[in-house]
Amino acid sequence: MQANRARYVIGNWKMNGSQQHVAAFFDRLSQVELPATEMVVCPPSIYLSQAAQILKPSSQIKLGAQDVSAHPPGAYTGQISASMLIEQGCRYAIVGHSERREYNKETDADVAAKFLAAKLAGLTPILCVGETHAQRLAEQTDKVVVSQLNSILSHHGADVFEGALLAYEPIWAIGTGLTATPEQAQAVHHLLRETIGGYDSSVAARLPILYGGSVKASNAAALFSMPDIDGALVGGASLQAEEFLAICESNK
Ligand code: PEP
């Protein structure tokens, strides 16, 4: 049975899109009756203000950033602070995406600092955790994801997860077309919830935990039927308005 938690579908466009794509995508979404699920789109930050102007603040669709600086405004070339993102109409921020951990060498400590900076400024952080294929084969999945979660949880407690989001994204499933089975994903989601529950069972029970890794309209419903899977963080499939809407539709 599904718990009474908010359900989410979050699109991560990564470094894709253009002004023309932003206009076409959000125009399409504003023409249809939207499914009753929380919908968030994270375009590249340079397009946030264009998207915000099309959407208007009252829109059911909210905007997120793919990253956020751990610092307040100042001498940090190339970075964008949480307050600047909020000014652009942004309400969410992904932190610790595996592509940033890998290509930008972000450590668990960097991710924790970004999570806290986002939270403190009033953005909803979306913390990503997940294992590599080698770690799964070596039966290290549980250890890896709990250690990534603990880099925040063991220092700051469960309270910082109140009003935040958690995403389990097995790295081997991101952009590969391979998806964790609903049972594999459920097992990790359950473990993550239990780990937070060890600190505060009511925060754990309320926390939406999303699955990410090659989610598309054809596999979303089976994932969403699992008791601890409250939605999805969607990469490639979130670039097409119809596909994104179809995934949202299966998460009502
Ligand atoms: C992601 O980038 O977070 C992601 C899950 O990508 P994809 O859906 O393309 O695997």
Side-chain angles (χ1 to χ4, degrees), residues 12 14 97 99 169 173-176 212-215 233-237:
N12 171 19
K14 314 191 188 207
H97 191 281
E99 286 155 15
E169 295 213 302
I174 297 180
T176 58
S214 299
V215 174
L233 180 51
V234 185

Side-chain angles (χ1 to χ4, degrees), residues 13-139:
W13 285 12
K14 314 191 188 207
M15 199 172 72
N16 291 297
S18 61
Q19 286 187 354
Q20 203 183 7
H21 184 81
V22 170
F25 183 93
F26 289 101
D27 279 348
R28 176 70 190 127
L29 261 56
S30 55
Q31 283 159 12
V32 295
E33 197 177 322
L34 296 172
T37 194
E38 303 290 334
M39 297 168 70
V40 181
V41 180
C42 307
S45 296
I46 191 133
Y47 299 129
L48 282 169
S49 103
Q50 184 196 353
Q53 275 171 29
I54 302 172
L55 284 175
K56 311 277 182 294
S58 60
S59 171
Q60 180 192 326
I61 303 161
K62 304 296 178 206
L63 292 170
Q66 299 172 16
D67 180 41
V68 57
S69 176
H71 305 287
Y76 299 100
T77 302
Q79 299 194 31
I80 304 176
S81 76
S83 59
M84 292 169 182
L85 291 170
I86 291 171
E87 209 175 38
Q88 297 304 304
C90 185
R91 293 291 167 266
Y92 293 79
I94 298 172
V95 297
H97 191 281
S98 60
E99 286 155 15
R100 291 205 60 89
R101 291 180 191 260
E102 183 182 353
Y103 306 138
N104 299 75
K105 306 284 172 261
E106 288 186 8
T107 64
D108 279 343
D110 296 328
V111 174
K114 289 180 174 206
F115 182 98
L116 293 169
K119 190 98 211 298
L120 212 62
L123 286 171
T124 299
I126 306 157
L127 172 68
C128 299
V129 299
E131 82 287 5
T132 63
H133 196 226
Q135 288 164 335
R136 175 159 281 267
L137 291 179
E139 298 184 359

Side-chain angles (χ1 to χ4, degrees), residues 165-225:
L165 301 174
L166 182 57
Y168 167 54
E169 295 213 302
I171 297 168
W172 50 271
I174 297 180
T176 58
L178 298 173
T179 317
T181 64
E183 292 74 20
Q184 283 173 321
Q186 164 61 25
V188 177
H189 283 225
H190 184 70
L191 171 70
L192 293 168
R193 200 179 301 287
E194 291 257 298
T195 305
I196 296 172
Y199 288 74
D200 187 322
S201 56
S202 40
V203 171
R206 281 193 293 270
L207 180 69
I209 306 181
L210 319 183
Y211 168 78
S214 299
V215 174
K216 36 192 189 287
S218 58
N219 60 21
L223 288 156
F224 297 154
S225 71

Side-chain angles (χ1 to χ4, degrees), residues 1-2 7 182-183 185-186 221-230:
M1 205 185 70
Q2 294 289 335
R7 304 191 65 78
E183 292 74 20
Q186 164 61 25
L223 288 156
F224 297 154
S225 71
M226 303 310 280
D228 285 293
I229 301 183
D230 305 306

